[in-house]
Amino acid sequence: MKAKTREFIFYSDVTDANPNGDLNNENQPRMDDSTDLLEMSDVRIKWFWKHEALANGENIFVKETISEEGKVLDAKGCASKIMLENNIKPEDFEEFLKLNYVDVKFFGVVSTAPSFSLMNTFYINWSRGVHKAEVKYKQGISSFSSGENKEQGTFWSKYMTPYCLFRTYMMYNNRVAEKQNIMITEEDIEKFKKYFLDGIKTYKSTSKNQMPRCLVEIIYKEQYI
């Protein structure tokens, strides 16, 4: 069954971790300067879904792809590789992606060769903390030294927050899908939610320690936002 337009409000929390480091600010947790609330970018949120989708054998176009020479390919190189491996003509590449690559169906893509662009049918906003959260600076000593004949391991340092509850707004727009001739079914949406929630629970590290807490989904009978 074709998926209907819907909105989501999603709550997740972070404990003793850096939810989304800002490389322009010593990798401290991202923060909205006007409100001092912690943030997570939409890319950070999509990362959980993407890795779980890959683990389940889904085709993902926007990911690191290595050439036979061991080099990381750019978008043009990835497109050429896919067309060559699947015997796809440039004029058929857009339709091929829409049918076979789930991240393109949901989040769109910009292709330079061949040239076309697809809008996202599934929109994920930046996440923001619902309360002010403390940011702490931690230091320690690693097990390995920086070289031979050293008396101790190298020092490490990181920023983290003891706790923060985040709210995320998401929306699937059926009209955007129809306009671009992209078929997304209710089964696709259910699979998206499963990968999204499982990915957040599964992919943990010393820098990422998040848990989903509540997902509210509003499915509209008629087109409405």
Side-chain angles (χ1 to χ4, degrees):
M1 180 186 299
K2 185 171 64 175
K4 295 181 178 180
T5 292
R6 66 201 63 206
E7 293 180 282
F8 299 89
I9 291 292
F10 173 65
Y11 289 89
S12 63
D13 58 10
V14 175
T15 305
D16 295 328
N18 184 345
N20 190 188
D22 186 349
L23 297 179
N24 293 320
N25 190 24
E26 299 180 329
N27 205 42
Q28 295 189 41
R30 292 185 185 275
M31 181 178 292
D32 181 4
D33 294 334
S34 63
T35 62
D36 291 334
L37 296 175
L38 297 188
E39 300 178 311
M40 288 188 291
S41 72
D42 62 313
V43 175
R44 172 71 259 169
I45 295 296
K46 292 172 184 174
W47 184 91
F48 293 111
W49 170 85
K50 182 184 295 186
H51 280 262
E52 186 68 13
L54 282 169
N56 282 271
E58 302 286 352
N59 289 328
I60 300 294
F61 179 66
V62 182
K63 63 180 178 64
E64 185 178 274
T65 303
I66 308 299
S67 68
E68 294 181 355
E69 293 76 26
K71 304 293 184 180
V72 178
L73 295 175
D74 59 11
K76 181 179 178 180
C78 289
S80 297
K81 186 173 186 292
I82 291 172
M83 287 188 290
L84 180 63
E85 291 176 346
N86 294 277
N87 194 28
I88 302 297
K89 298 178 180 179
E91 59 267 28
D92 298 327
F93 185 58
E94 177 180 347
E95 192 64 26
F96 182 79
L97 288 185
K98 289 192 293 187
L99 290 173
N100 295 281
Y101 284 79
V102 65
D103 60 327
V104 173
K105 291 172 63 175
F106 281 122
F107 303 127
V109 71
V110 176
S111 176
T112 55
S115 179
F116 63 88
S117 64
L118 294 169
M119 292 178 59
N120 56 298
T121 62
F122 204 107
Y123 169 75
I124 300 180
N125 196 14
W126 279 49
S127 303
R128 283 188 171 84
V130 301
H131 58 87
K132 291 187 177 180
E134 186 179 5
V135 174
K136 292 186 175 182
Y137 179 69
K138 300 287 188 178
Q139 288 184 307
I141 300 176
S142 69
S143 299
F144 292 107
S145 69
S146 59
E148 294 184 0
N149 301 319
K150 301 289 184 179
E151 295 183 355
Q152 65 181 19
T154 55
F155 287 94
W156 58 261
S157 61
K158 65 179 66 175
Y159 291 92
M160 49 80 73
T161 181
Y163 181 83
C164 187
L165 177 66
F166 285 89
R167 179 176 59 231
T168 308
Y169 171 78
M170 305 185 292
M171 176 187 69
Y172 167 70
N173 193 330
N174 179 49
R175 283 187 178 170
V176 176
E178 288 181 344
K179 184 177 180 180
Q180 300 179 109
N181 194 31
I182 296 174
M183 172 55 72
I184 294 180
T185 66
E186 290 292 336
E187 290 75 14
D188 291 330
I189 298 291
E190 289 301 313
K191 187 183 292 185
F192 177 92
K193 290 187 292 184
K194 176 175 171 53
Y195 291 165
F196 179 66
L197 296 173
D198 288 351
I200 292 174
K201 290 184 287 186
T202 300
Y203 294 96
K204 296 182 180 295
S205 67
T206 55
S207 65
K208 302 294 177 289
N209 183 23
Q210 296 170 233
M211 280 295 292
R213 296 302 179 187
C214 179
L215 177 64
V216 179
E217 179 181 11
I218 304 171
I219 304 173
Y220 293 107
K221 295 180 179 179
E222 298 178 359
Q223 183 68 22
Y224 179 81
I225 300 297

